[in-house]
């Protein structure tokens, strides 16, 4: 599959180049040129296979010219050591749980696919790669965990000092060896600023092979479509049934991957976007105007994105047609009180513990069902384990939430980050000396 630069349709690159460049020289995002098609008979054939097997079969179609089959099988085997689980809340609503990975958010799927793919690239070219990532929370831990112990790749994770939760910090700051956590005395934007400057610094690029693993990289975007294939094949018993899926969204990578899967032939009747108060996309669906607002802090903090990067990409997949995108994607936004109501309601009526991101997804699918009611199967994604947002969930439900073992372990480890000021010269010297 080839990728084009959104700023210049004529600039076309292969997967490898798109991954290593992260974005085009002029900052443009890469978008798949032409998506491979899978037909319903093929989907019926693979319906009863395991997550790894379905991922391999679909992955082989997507990465046909990019990754040799035996390598793809190894990547999938190493990356996907866990799988989505699907539960029925009642006969109408299903939840697709994507939080079974080591850092307890759906970001593990993509980060681990990317890490294992980059390991293959490092070996293929006999090069050492340096990955820089700025994080405001879940991304950093997923990336750190995914790259930990991978040969020939050094990762620097930059996070804003005192601006992420204790649990989030410990999930990043306790890494060592090939993963170096860096605590920046500044905001998330400052961290991102340092990473951006590093990418355009000639000196640094001569000395190090720099790449990024942020969420706009196609190595994170495209593999996310694999869990949509698996989940829909497990949800659907009759391929004539209409299925609607609600995706809690922030930067809209997850939803974009869902749309890719549909455009490849997965029979999803409707995607529903659910956001918190950062509702630029939802307002766009009403007015046709994309007017991003400054980011607002909410309980669903991994979706606190005022200006979602993937909007452009999503729109381009519909040839920038407002009518088309509006007819295929529905959307709703929710505030903190809505999230609290949803967490209470799901616990009381379904005995199910949601966290704030999934709470938006749950509210979104219910709103869609109440308003439109034209599908047969209604599902939403739960993107994080409730233990990751223990404080909020316990405050709302007044019950104790168990922290999973993998999270407990890092809480007792030693903090290993180095502290740097928000100063590019200092950061650059540090990278060169290490
Ligand atoms: C990152 C994240 C999201 C938002 O995903 P996007 O792909 O940016 O829309 C939602 N929920 C959780 C728990 C996350 O970590």
């Amino acid at each position: 599959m080839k990728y084009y630069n959104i700023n210049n349709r004529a600039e076309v690159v292969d997967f490898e180049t798109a991954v290593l460049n992260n974005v085009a020289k002029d900052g443009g995002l890469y978008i798949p040129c032409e998506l491979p098609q899978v037909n319903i008979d093929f989907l019926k054939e693979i319906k009863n296979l395991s997550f790894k097997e379905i991922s391999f079969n679909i992955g082989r179609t997507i990465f046909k010219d990019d990754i040799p089959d035996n390598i793809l099988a190894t990547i999938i085997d190493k990356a996907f050591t866990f799988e989505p689980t699907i539960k029925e809340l009642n006969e109408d609503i299903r939840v697709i749980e994507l939080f079974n990975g080591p850092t307890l958010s759906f970001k593990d799927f993509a980060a681990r696919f990317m890490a294992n793919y980059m390991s293959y690239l490092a070996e293929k070219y006999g090069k050492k790669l340096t990955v820089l990532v700025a994080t405001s929370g879940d991304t950093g831990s997923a990336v750190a965990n995914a790259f930990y112990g991978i040969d020939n790749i050094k990762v620097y994770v930059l996070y804003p000092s005192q601006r992420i939760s204790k649990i989030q910090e410990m999930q990043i700051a306790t890494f060592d060896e090939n993963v170096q956590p860096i605590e920046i005395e500044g905001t998330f934007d400052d961290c991102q600023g340092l990473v951006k400057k590093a990418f355009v610094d000639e000196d640094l690029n001569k000395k190090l092979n720099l790449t990024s693993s942020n969420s706009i990289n196609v190595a994170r975007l495209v593999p996310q479509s694999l869990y949509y294939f698996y989940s829909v094949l497990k949800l659907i018993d009759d391929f004539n049934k209409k299925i609607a899926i609600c995706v809690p969204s922030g930067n809209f990578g997850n939803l974009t991957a869902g749309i890719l899967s549909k455009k490849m032939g997965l029979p999803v009747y409707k995607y529903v976007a659910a956001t918190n108060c950062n509702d630029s996309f939802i307002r766009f669906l009403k007015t046709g105007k994309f007017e991003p607002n400054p980011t607002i802090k909410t309980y669903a903090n991994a979706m606190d994105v005022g200006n979602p990067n993937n909007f452009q990409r999503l729109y381009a997949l519909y040839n920038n047609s407002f009518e088309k995108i509006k007819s295929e994607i529905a959307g709703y936004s929710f505030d903190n009180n809505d999230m609290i109501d949803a967490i209470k309601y799901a616990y009381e009526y379904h005995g199910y513990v949601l966290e704030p991101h999934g709470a938006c997804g749950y509210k979104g699918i219910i709103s869609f069902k109440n308003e439109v009611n034209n599908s047969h199967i209604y599902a939403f994604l739960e993107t994080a384990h409730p233990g990751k947002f223990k404080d909020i969930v316990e405050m709302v439900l007044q019950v104790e939430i168990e922290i999973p073992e993998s999270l407990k372990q890092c809480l007792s480890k030693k903090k290993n980050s180095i502290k740097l000021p928000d100063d590019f010269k200092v950061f650059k010297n540090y990278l060169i000396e290490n």
Side-chain angles (χ1 to χ4, degrees), residues 10 20 30 61 92 110 130 155 184 186 221 231 253 268 320 340 378 402:
L20 293 175
Y30 289 115
T61 313
D92 282 339
T130 301
V155 181
I184 298 290
L221 176 73
S231 305
V268 175
N320 292 352
I340 291 177
Y378 297 89
E402 177 91 40

Side-chain angles (χ1 to χ4, degrees), residues 106-107 138 248-254 302-303 357 383-384:
F106 81 102
K107 290 190 170 72
D138 289 346
S249 296
N251 210 11
F252 283 78
N254 202 359
M303 309 194 323
H357 306 80
T383 46

Side-chain angles (χ1 to χ4, degrees), residues 104-107 138-139 215 224 247-255 302-303 305 310 355 357 382-384 389:
L104 310 175
S105 90
F106 81 102
K107 290 190 170 72
D138 289 346
T139 297
S215 69
Q224 291 186 107
V247 183
S249 296
N251 210 11
F252 283 78
N254 202 359
L255 182 68
M303 309 194 323
V305 184
N310 281 297
E355 55 70 57
H357 306 80
E382 175 49 290
T383 46
F389 295 89

Side-chain angles (χ1 to χ4, degrees), residues 74-365:
T74 307
I75 293 172
I76 285 173
D77 197 49
K78 286 190 178 161
F80 297 163
T81 49
F82 51 92
E83 59 183 44
T85 43
I86 295 169
K87 292 184 179 151
E88 260 180 44
L89 293 202
N90 61 16
E91 67 245 37
D92 282 339
I93 309 281
R94 325 281 170 88
V95 52
I96 302 168
E97 297 177 341
L98 297 178
F99 55 67
N100 299 316
T103 74
L104 310 175
S105 90
F106 81 102
K107 290 190 170 72
D108 283 326
F109 286 103
R112 291 170 68 85
F113 188 99
M114 177 175 196
N116 285 285
Y117 172 68
M118 300 241 315
S119 157
Y120 154 70
L121 289 185
E123 197 179 309
K124 181 174 162 191
Y125 293 107
K127 275 190 186 172
K128 284 202 182 328
L129 301 176
T130 301
V131 172
L132 301 180
V133 62
T135 181
S136 58
D138 289 346
T139 297
S141 52
V143 168
N145 190 288
F147 280 91
Y148 187 59
I150 290 207
D151 290 340
N152 297 317
I153 302 184
K154 176 90 192 189
V155 181
Y156 297 92
V157 185
L158 286 72
Y159 67 91
S161 183
Q162 304 189 3
R163 285 184 163 87
I164 63 177
S165 78
K166 189 78 199 146
I167 289 186
Q168 283 175 323
E169 176 171 21
M170 291 307 275
Q171 277 189 294
I172 299 166
T174 52
F175 277 94
D176 53 14
E177 294 177 24
N178 72 320
V179 176
Q180 178 62 56
I182 304 181
E183 180 175 355
I184 298 290
E185 290 165 325
T187 62
F188 169 62
D189 290 324
D190 297 330
C191 296
Q192 223 166 11
L194 291 172
V195 170
K196 278 191 185 149
K197 278 186 197 146
F199 281 116
V200 295
D201 188 272
E202 258 178 55
D203 217 23
L204 268 183
N205 279 281
K206 257 185 227 146
K207 294 192 168 96
L208 306 167
N209 296 305
L210 291 182
T211 58
S212 168
S213 66
N214 65 20
S215 69
I216 54 182
N217 195 300
V218 290
R220 281 189 49 195
L221 176 73
V222 177
Q224 291 186 107
S225 55
L226 298 174
Y227 55 68
Y228 283 97
F229 276 93
Y230 172 81
S231 305
V232 169
L233 290 180
K234 297 301 166 188
L235 273 171
I236 216 164
D237 43 5
D238 166 353
F239 278 77
N240 292 317
K241 282 193 177 166
K242 289 178 178 170
I243 173 165
I245 300 179
C246 182
V247 183
S249 296
N251 210 11
F252 283 78
N254 202 359
L255 182 68
T256 304
I259 299 298
L260 289 179
S261 69
K262 177 170 180 173
K263 288 187 173 283
M264 284 187 264
L266 188 69
V268 175
Y269 179 65
K270 197 75 155 194
Y271 278 104
V272 182
T275 70
N276 56 29
C277 290
N278 296 282
D279 61 351
S280 324
F281 182 75
I282 311 303
R283 284 182 287 111
F284 162 78
L285 286 180
K286 293 197 184 104
T287 62
K289 291 199 196 90
F290 187 65
E291 296 170 324
N293 283 343
T295 301
I296 303 164
K297 237 171 108 78
T298 76
Y299 288 156
N301 66 10
M303 309 194 323
D304 290 349
V305 184
N307 187 2
N309 265 318
N310 281 297
F311 169 73
Q312 276 192 345
R313 209 178 230 153
L314 204 51
Y315 206 18
L317 285 170
Y318 288 100
N319 296 320
N320 292 352
S321 157
F322 178 58
E323 289 310 314
K324 263 194 217 148
I325 195 167
K326 200 175 62 167
S327 69
E328 293 216 359
I329 305 177
Y332 303 90
S333 65
F334 303 104
D335 63 19
N336 283 347
N337 287 330
D338 295 326
M339 293 178 216
I340 291 177
D341 285 348
I343 292 171
K344 279 189 186 150
Y345 189 91
Y347 188 66
E348 199 168 313
Y349 290 93
H350 309 305
Y352 190 82
V353 180
L354 288 167
E355 55 70 57
H357 306 80
C360 294
Y362 176 64
K363 274 266 181 192
I365 201 66

Side-chain angles (χ1 to χ4, degrees), residues 4 55 126 218:
Y4 71 89
S55 296
V218 290

